């Protein structure tokens, strides 16, 4: 038996104006009228059904993701946040994030979202190049991006800008210009990650002029230097933050913390008092979810999967991985993975000390190869 730490809450809003060609998140193209009221009612009921799993564990972070959560009206978000707080204890200084789209109509809602208790905004810019925005099938242009950032700056200092590099037909100069644009607006956080084409996406079956590996590496290395030089500290593979502005919700994921997930297609990870870890998977069918059928399945995570999932998250961070933390959060003795640790060391991916492991520069660059060592 061991003491359980605070927990996070993820809330999934499954609608988008348009399904982007690279997106593999669970979402629907929004109907003319989104059934907001009914969905919020069912989100709160879904939340109530999960409460028995997290007894006496306060919620430290809330993340409203999607889809495009900023499609929801002010009153819907307010009702959602207030409904969560009425039903369970949320820390007074909890980080509450909402993902937003730069589309002009949604910008007008930012101030109302803040008044509902949201204190962190994540804006999915992806690129400031209007031509590239069309190529990756986004629904806004450069002017709307800039307007959205300016509107957010009036509301909050805790702002993340999502940017991607390695886009179709993107040049090295384009990628660095994106970063310079972003840095110029002085957001507290920048998420900068490489476009990856997943098998279950529209882009997977298309011929795209993706930059070659050499150019992508140059984008990464020069962009990384630019961000660090501009006062952003890299604390995770694709995350850069000003002092005290790291995303606490995502840090909980990457530190293999627990979270509950509510909403259509959401999933959660919850450690039980006996040390067992369970995963919850919510119904992906929106009609079924709106009819009250929330839970799709609950699975106990095997020891092999726990090891892989722990390292899949913690290897992303730019800090040592304490062995006592591994034991505490997995309930597994590191002796059980001694051979795999040694293989990672032999490959130059890991440094091993008495108290911790740390990924090398090579380990970070070849992260997938490092993780394969821990895959069953």
């Amino acid at each position: 038996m061991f003491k359980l730490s605070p927990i996070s809450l993820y809330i999934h809003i499954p609608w988008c104006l348009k399904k982007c060609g690279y997106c593999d998140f669970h979402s629907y193209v929004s109907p003319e009228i989104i059934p907001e009221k009914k969905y919020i009612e069912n989100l709160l009921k879904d939340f109530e059904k999960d409460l028995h799993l997290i007894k006496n564990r306060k919620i430290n972070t809330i993340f409203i993701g999607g889809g495009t959560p900023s499609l929801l009206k002010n009153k819907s978000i307010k009702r959602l946040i207030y409904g969560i707080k009425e039903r369970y204890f949320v820390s007074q200084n909890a980080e509450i994030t909402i993902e937003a789209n730069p589309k002009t109509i949604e910008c007008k809602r930012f101030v109302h979202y803040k008044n509902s208790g949201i204190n962190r905004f994540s804006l999915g810019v992806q690129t400031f190049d209007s031509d590239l925005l069309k190529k990756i099938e986004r629904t806004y242009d450069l002017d709307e991006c800039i307007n959205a950032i300016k509107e957010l700056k009036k509301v909050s200092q805790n702002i993340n800008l999502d940017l991607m590099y390695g886009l179709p037909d993107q040049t090295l100069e384009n990628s660095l210009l994106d970063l310079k644009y972003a840095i110029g607006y002085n957001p507290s956080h920048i998420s900068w990650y490489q476009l990856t084409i997943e098998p279950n996406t529209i882009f997977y079956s298309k011929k795209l002029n993706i930059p070659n590996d050499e150019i992508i590496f140059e984008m990464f290395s020069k962009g990384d230097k630019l961000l660090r030089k501009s006062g952003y500290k890299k604390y995770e593979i694709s995350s850069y933050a000003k002092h005290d502005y790291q995303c606490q919700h995502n840090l909980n994921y990457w530190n293999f913390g627990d979270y509950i997930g509510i909403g259509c297609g959401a999933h959660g990870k919850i450690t039980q008092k006996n040390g067992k870890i369970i995963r919850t998977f919510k119904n992906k069918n929106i009609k079924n979810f709106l009819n009250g059928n929330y839970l799709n399945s609950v699975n106990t995570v095997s020891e092999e999967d726990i090891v892989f999932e722990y390292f899949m998250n913690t290897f992303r961070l730019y800090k040592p991985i304490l062995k006592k933390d591994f034991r505490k959060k997995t309930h597994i003795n590191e002796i059980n993975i001694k051979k795999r640790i040694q293989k990672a060391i032999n490959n130059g991916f890991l440094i091993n000390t008495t108290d911790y492991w740390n990924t090398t520069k090579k380990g970070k660059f070849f992260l997938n190869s490092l993780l394969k060592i821990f895959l069953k």
Side-chain angles (χ1 to χ4, degrees):
M1 303 285 283
F2 54 92
K3 185 179 178 181
L4 295 170
S5 58
I7 200 163
S8 293
L9 169 63
Y10 174 75
I11 304 170
H12 193 69
I13 309 298
W15 293 285
C16 286
L17 287 174
K18 185 182 184 300
K19 186 79 171 177
C20 297
Y22 60 85
C23 179
D24 68 336
F25 290 114
H26 178 63
S27 62
Y28 296 93
V29 175
S30 63
E32 287 187 19
I33 300 175
I34 295 174
E36 294 185 36
K37 184 177 179 181
K38 189 172 183 181
Y39 190 67
I40 298 300
E41 287 174 358
N42 282 281
L43 274 176
L44 294 173
K45 289 177 182 176
D46 185 17
F47 180 60
E48 289 173 356
K49 287 182 176 291
D50 274 0
L51 291 182
H52 73 282
L53 298 171
I54 59 166
K55 289 178 181 177
N56 303 318
R57 300 177 69 180
K58 64 181 178 180
I59 293 174
N60 272 1
T61 70
I62 298 174
F63 195 102
I64 307 171
T68 308
S70 56
L71 286 174
L72 298 190
K73 296 182 180 68
N74 314 325
K75 62 181 180 181
S76 297
I77 293 296
K78 183 176 181 179
R79 192 156 163 266
L80 173 61
I81 298 295
Y82 283 26
I84 294 295
K85 291 181 176 180
E86 285 171 356
R87 287 162 174 78
Y88 197 74
F89 179 70
V90 177
S91 298
Q92 190 173 359
N93 60 345
E95 176 192 87
I96 305 178
T97 303
I98 189 168
E99 289 183 330
N101 190 313
K103 202 70 181 168
T104 299
I105 190 172
E106 296 163 42
C107 299
K108 298 174 182 177
R109 297 174 179 162
F110 294 157
V111 66
H112 299 286
Y113 289 167
K114 184 179 181 182
N115 292 338
S116 297
I118 290 169
N119 51 32
R120 185 176 184 273
F121 295 83
S122 183
L123 194 66
V125 173
Q126 314 311 352
T127 176
F128 288 96
D129 187 308
S130 291
D131 290 335
L132 289 180
L133 284 169
K134 287 179 184 177
K135 287 179 181 178
I136 60 172
E137 303 180 352
R138 300 298 280 179
T139 59
Y140 48 84
D141 57 23
L142 171 61
D143 290 338
E144 287 181 300
C145 286
I146 292 172
N147 181 58
I149 295 170
K150 288 180 177 178
E151 290 299 311
L152 268 181
K153 294 287 284 185
K154 295 175 186 176
V155 172
S156 175
Q157 291 303 308
N158 199 356
I159 299 169
N160 170 62
L161 299 183
D162 266 350
L163 293 172
M164 293 194 294
Y165 64 95
L167 302 176
D169 298 311
Q170 187 179 41
T171 64
L172 171 62
E173 291 73 22
N174 287 149
S175 67
L176 296 178
L177 191 59
D178 274 344
L179 286 178
K180 288 173 184 176
Y181 256 118
I183 292 165
Y185 289 105
N186 197 33
S188 57
H189 192 287
I190 294 176
S191 297
W192 187 58
Y193 50 96
Q194 182 185 339
L195 171 67
T196 54
I197 308 299
E198 302 294 344
N200 57 335
T201 62
I202 298 167
F203 278 2
Y204 189 72
S205 58
K206 288 188 174 184
K207 287 186 177 180
L208 301 170
N209 186 29
I210 301 292
N212 62 42
D213 289 346
E214 187 177 334
I215 293 174
I216 285 177
F217 179 74
E218 202 170 358
M219 288 176 177
F220 162 75
S221 57
K222 290 189 175 180
D224 182 71
K225 287 178 183 177
L226 176 60
L227 283 161
R228 292 173 188 265
K229 186 179 178 181
S230 302
Y232 291 90
K233 182 178 180 181
K234 188 173 190 176
Y235 67 100
E236 185 267 343
I237 279 182
S238 57
S239 300
Y240 299 77
K242 292 288 183 73
H243 183 64
D244 282 343
Y245 281 103
Q246 295 176 336
C247 179
Q248 297 305 307
H249 186 88
N250 287 341
L251 272 174
N252 185 48
Y253 289 156
W254 298 323
N255 281 300
F256 204 57
D258 287 347
Y259 58 97
I260 54 173
I262 62 172
C264 183
H267 61 88
K269 168 195 168 279
I270 305 135
T271 305
Q272 304 298 286
K273 286 187 176 180
N274 61 4
K276 296 291 184 183
I277 295 174
I278 63 168
R279 283 205 174 275
T280 59
F281 297 88
K282 300 301 171 65
N283 202 318
K284 283 189 173 184
N285 186 295
I286 187 63
K287 290 182 179 179
N288 289 341
F289 188 88
L290 290 174
N291 285 327
N293 300 316
Y294 311 129
L295 187 63
N296 181 58
S297 64
V298 180
N299 301 323
T300 299
V301 185
S302 69
E303 182 172 307
E304 284 289 337
D305 287 339
I306 288 173
V307 169
F308 176 73
E309 289 182 17
Y310 178 85
F311 287 123
M312 182 176 65
N313 285 284
T314 56
F315 281 158
R316 295 179 66 92
L317 293 169
Y318 278 76
K319 69 171 191 177
I321 301 166
L322 298 177
K323 294 179 181 179
K324 66 179 182 181
D325 184 76
F326 173 80
R327 292 190 295 269
K328 176 184 175 183
K329 291 182 177 176
T330 65
H331 223 50
I332 297 168
N333 194 301
E334 64 268 25
I335 293 173
N336 295 0
I337 57 169
K338 186 177 180 180
K339 288 183 179 178
R340 281 175 281 183
I341 290 290
Q342 190 58 52
K343 185 175 180 181
I345 294 167
N346 293 344
N347 279 282
F349 297 149
L350 272 189
I351 294 169
N352 182 43
T353 74
T354 304
D355 298 321
Y356 64 83
W357 303 295
N358 207 356
T359 46
T360 62
K361 190 173 182 180
K362 181 181 178 182
K364 278 286 189 288
F365 190 72
F366 294 102
L367 184 59
N368 286 340
S369 298
L370 169 56
L371 288 173
K372 281 180 183 178
I373 294 171
F374 297 91
L375 186 63
K376 185 177 179 181

